[in-house]
Amino acid sequence: MKSAVETLNPTRVRLSIEVPFEELKDSLDAAYKKINQQVTVKGFRKGKIPARVIDQRFGRGAVLEEAVNDALPKFYTDAVNEAELNVLGQPEVDITELKDGDTLNFTAEVDVRPTIEIPDYSGIEVEVDAVEVGEEDIDKAVEELRERFASTAPVERAAEEGDVVTLDLEAKVDGEVLEDGVASGVSYTIGSGELLDGIDDAVKGLEAGGEATFASELKGGSAAGKESEVTVKVSQVAKRELPELDDDFAQLASEFDTLDELRADSRKRLENMKQYDQATQAQERVLEKLLELVEVPVPEKLLEDEINTRKHNLEHHQLGQMGLDLEKYLEIQGKTAEEFDAENKEAAVKGIKTQFVLDELVNKEKLNVSQEELTEHLMRRAASSNMSPDQFAQQVVEGGQVPMLVGEVARGKALAVVVEAATVKDTNGEVVDLDDEDEDEASAETSAEDSTEEAAEEAPEATDAPEASSEKSEA
């Protein structure tokens, strides 16, 4: 077999492959054997039909087509390996010449990873929010904790803002009560915004036994997005009572004995949260700076697939779970279809570029992933997917996604290397030392993963074989 490579552009090549006919022998034998098992010829036992009879009855062309389709993936893969190409996705195969007993010539056009030069990134400088926790932040945290320990007591008066009311609801669309539009004993805090638009105004001023009707657009269910007539009946009005902010509350709501100890712990927790947010912010901004430094051509087919995948996942998974379609989602977001498409494309381009750049950094810095690192990453991913580590691991192995997880960890380590080399200052002008953050590496992995996970799924391995068929081929 002979092969030659022609570069069509920085992300696409054409392989021209010439195969001597004798190298098709194994595939021809397999083709005759396969056809033998599929057909019946009078006078011959199944599987024992001579090759010449198959040629006469079914045509030599059918045998050649079967043999070529069987052989193309191997010849293509051999040519890719010989040229040391890092291919992406399936090739477009075209048989340019097929002479029985002589030669097979075909071409294969395929996307390849672009050659990327990683510049010196040690000069990257970014600014992040300062870690500042004021008394008002602590007050807010303690008040939120206090809200969680609030109690309720029934009152005999009209409902007011902040009261907890028990409601019976009935929703009609076009005068018909919806099957899933009836609910009883619903507990609702007035002003929380957790139910239907307009319900706050409807129930305010009602006492137990009071009833009101209002119009509202349904947020979910069988008639999501439709205008409905909702009847609400109040069965109970209760006043929320907050516990006193004292040492007794600290003992009730925490492991601390005094309110001062509780407030000190709240300060520490808030500082840790802001340090984590600061580390994540640093990684995101360093990544943006890095991408600005590197010229990364993006394969058109890969980009098209990534855009379509992102849109499909949004429409059929995320929005579907919320009972929305894309049109309604865009209306809520205040975006046009053109603006959505532009943002989707921008995100897809960034995801692909991020993967290419960080993968190149993995190679340049010779970064490896240990079993311990992979296990820790797997456990984090399992937790975020609300699955047990064993369930998630089984799903990953069965889906052949172990290389994808290894890539995520490696890219996280690559990003951490760049962050370590960069200068990070906060808004007060102070240099931020991220080395002391226990969660720094995990946060770096997460940041890289968020940007590249979908792109990684769209970038096939270099060993992908062509799905050659007679429909794609021309003799």
Side-chain angles (χ1 to χ4, degrees):
M1 185 193 78
K2 297 179 182 178
S3 64
V5 181
E6 175 188 358
T7 299
L8 303 178
N9 61 50
T11 62
R12 194 165 181 83
V13 299
R14 178 188 292 123
L15 286 161
S16 297
I17 302 166
E18 181 180 332
V19 183
F21 204 80
E22 56 266 23
E23 293 188 29
L24 284 172
K25 182 179 183 308
D26 289 345
S27 294
L28 279 169
D29 291 344
Y32 278 117
K33 185 175 181 180
K34 182 177 180 180
I35 293 173
N36 242 309
Q37 299 300 322
Q38 294 176 338
V39 301
T40 301
V41 176
K42 189 176 181 180
F44 296 95
R45 285 182 296 164
K46 197 173 188 66
K48 300 294 183 180
I49 308 170
R52 60 179 177 78
V53 175
I54 290 177
D55 289 345
Q56 292 170 355
R57 290 293 186 94
F58 306 102
R60 173 73 167 176
V63 179
L64 288 175
E65 181 180 327
E66 182 67 39
V68 168
N69 287 339
D70 174 72
L72 279 182
K74 178 184 180 302
F75 293 133
Y76 165 76
T77 301
D78 289 346
V80 166
N81 293 336
E82 182 181 304
E84 297 182 342
L85 297 175
N86 196 343
V87 301
L88 301 166
Q90 297 291 340
E92 294 180 4
V93 176
D94 180 27
I95 296 177
T96 56
E97 185 177 31
L98 175 58
K99 291 183 179 179
D100 194 357
D102 186 5
T103 186
L104 163 67
N105 293 331
F106 70 94
T107 62
E109 286 191 18
V110 66
D111 286 334
V112 294
R113 279 179 178 261
T115 300
I116 299 173
E117 294 293 331
I118 303 294
D120 179 14
Y121 47 78
S122 60
I124 291 178
E125 294 186 9
V126 297
E127 184 180 73
V128 296
D129 295 335
V131 174
E132 297 175 341
V133 177
E135 290 300 313
E136 64 278 7
D137 297 316
I138 301 172
D139 291 342
K140 181 179 179 182
V142 173
E143 188 62 25
E144 288 175 352
L145 182 62
R146 188 183 177 205
E147 290 279 349
R148 293 206 297 270
F149 282 85
S151 59
T152 59
V155 292
E156 295 183 2
R157 60 164 173 76
E160 300 174 357
E161 184 82 8
D163 284 345
V164 179
V165 288
T166 304
L167 310 172
D168 295 334
L169 298 164
E170 181 183 86
K172 294 180 180 179
V173 172
D174 298 329
E176 296 291 330
V177 178
L178 300 172
E179 289 186 10
D180 55 354
V182 179
S184 300
V186 177
S187 180
Y188 175 67
T189 301
I190 300 175
S192 66
E194 295 174 352
L195 277 179
L196 298 167
D197 293 338
I199 195 168
D200 290 340
D201 292 337
V203 298
K204 282 180 188 176
L206 293 181
E207 297 183 14
E211 186 176 304
T213 300
F214 63 100
S216 182
E217 185 178 294
L218 297 178
K219 296 180 179 180
S222 61
K226 292 185 178 181
E227 192 73 17
S228 68
E229 181 185 82
V230 181
T231 299
V232 56
K233 183 176 181 179
V234 178
S235 57
Q236 185 186 77
V237 178
K239 181 181 180 180
R240 300 180 76 250
E241 297 179 345
L242 299 175
E244 292 293 327
L245 280 178
D246 52 23
D247 292 346
D248 289 339
F249 168 70
Q251 294 167 22
L252 170 69
S254 71
E255 70 271 28
F256 302 106
D257 293 328
T258 68
L259 184 60
D260 288 342
E261 289 175 328
L262 174 60
R263 289 180 64 85
D265 181 70
S266 296
R267 176 184 290 278
K268 183 178 179 180
R269 288 176 183 273
L270 289 171
E271 287 176 347
N272 288 340
M273 289 172 58
K274 291 199 174 187
Q275 284 171 348
Y276 181 86
D277 291 342
Q278 186 187 64
T280 302
Q281 192 179 63
Q283 286 133 20
E284 291 173 349
R285 293 183 178 180
V286 167
L287 177 60
E288 290 175 0
K289 289 283 188 179
L290 177 63
L291 294 180
E292 291 174 5
L293 294 176
V294 187
E295 185 68 29
V296 186
V298 176
E300 291 183 7
K301 182 65 168 61
L302 183 65
L303 177 58
E304 179 185 346
D305 290 345
E306 174 68 2
I307 290 172
N308 291 337
T309 296
R310 287 170 178 264
K311 187 174 182 179
H312 175 85
N313 288 340
L314 175 66
E315 285 189 277
H316 299 280
H317 297 292
Q318 300 170 43
L319 296 183
Q321 293 176 356
M322 295 187 290
L324 298 174
D325 58 19
L326 183 58
E327 183 179 354
K328 187 62 182 177
Y329 168 76
L330 294 179
E331 181 183 330
I332 294 172
Q333 294 291 315
K335 295 177 184 177
T336 64
E338 291 75 16
E339 289 172 334
F340 168 79
D341 288 340
E343 290 179 4
N344 191 33
K345 180 178 180 180
E346 182 180 356
V349 168
K350 181 180 178 181
I352 294 172
K353 285 185 174 181
T354 297
Q355 182 190 345
F356 285 171
V357 170
L358 294 183
D359 283 348
E360 185 62 31
L361 268 168
V362 169
N363 295 329
K364 180 180 179 180
E365 302 293 343
K366 296 180 173 57
L367 300 175
N368 295 312
V369 176
S370 68
Q371 184 62 48
E372 181 181 1
E373 290 170 329
L374 181 60
T375 300
E376 290 177 356
H377 182 65
L378 185 147
M379 293 180 70
R380 284 195 297 271
R381 287 291 304 273
S384 66
S385 301
N386 295 320
M387 299 173 67
S388 72
D390 288 343
Q391 287 176 321
F392 187 78
Q394 182 179 357
Q395 186 180 84
V396 166
V397 172
E398 291 178 351
Q401 294 179 315
V402 173
M404 185 190 76
L405 286 188
V406 172
E408 290 174 0
V409 178
R411 287 192 278 280
K413 295 179 70 172
L415 180 57
V417 168
V418 183
V419 172
E420 185 179 354
T423 299
V424 181
K425 293 183 179 181
D426 65 20
T427 49
N428 294 328
E430 298 292 329
V431 174
V432 178
D433 184 3
L434 299 172
D435 291 340
D436 295 334
E437 300 299 327
D438 292 337
E439 63 273 7
D440 179 41
E441 184 176 331
S443 180
E445 274 186 33
T446 302
S447 180
E449 175 189 328
D450 289 344
S451 299
T452 64
E453 182 179 338
E454 291 183 11
E457 292 173 357
E458 289 302 300
E461 297 297 319
T463 54
D464 278 353
E467 297 179 358
S469 69
S470 58
E471 294 180 1
K472 289 186 180 180
S473 307
E474 295 177 5

